[in-house]
Amino acid sequence: MNDTEFHNNTAQSDLQQPKMYSPTTQPLLQSLLSTLADIDFEYERARDKISKISPDLNLKIRILEKLRSQHQEQRTPYIQQLAILQEHLISHR
């Protein structure tokens, strides 16, 4: 086996193995991602509902803009927590 084959095999085996996180990190990561998914799902449901029931286009646009703003406000703290967690994981490699 030459050196190139060894490096290629190592790189492929690294890609096939799932990432493992510490017992404290894994639940936190899952919780943050689950919460973000829930927030996004509710946002999409509300958007669909508003799009279907409001006949006034200007009113619909204002409501959708407010909804989008609220959605971003809801997501922001969880995105910040994910960024902190990512920094923590990168610094402890």
Side-chain angles (χ1 to χ4, degrees):
M1 175 186 283
N2 66 35
D3 192 41
T4 305
E5 288 175 359
F6 175 75
H7 288 296
N8 286 341
N9 290 339
T10 302
Q12 289 174 353
S13 67
D14 286 346
L15 292 175
Q16 295 170 357
Q17 293 181 0
K19 298 266 185 196
M20 298 300 290
Y21 299 104
S22 75
T24 56
T25 302
Q26 183 76 27
L28 176 58
L29 181 59
Q30 287 175 334
S31 176
L32 290 169
L33 293 174
S34 175
T35 300
L36 283 168
D38 290 343
I39 290 169
D40 290 346
F41 178 75
E42 288 302 319
Y43 169 68
E44 291 297 326
R45 270 185 18 159
R47 264 186 49 192
D48 288 345
K49 185 177 178 182
I50 290 165
S51 295
K52 291 176 184 173
I53 63 172
S54 180
D56 181 352
L57 184 58
N58 290 327
L59 177 61
K60 190 186 300 188
I61 290 170
R62 286 194 309 270
I63 292 171
L64 288 171
E65 286 174 354
K66 183 173 181 174
L67 183 65
R68 183 176 33 250
S69 175
Q70 290 171 341
H71 175 244
Q72 290 302 316
E73 287 177 30
Q74 277 187 301
R75 286 177 53 86
T76 297
Y78 300 100
I79 298 294
Q80 290 171 341
Q81 287 297 312
L82 279 173
I84 291 168
L85 183 58
Q86 182 180 18
E87 284 295 317
H88 175 76
L89 292 172
I90 289 171
S91 68
H92 286 90
R93 278 188 171 174

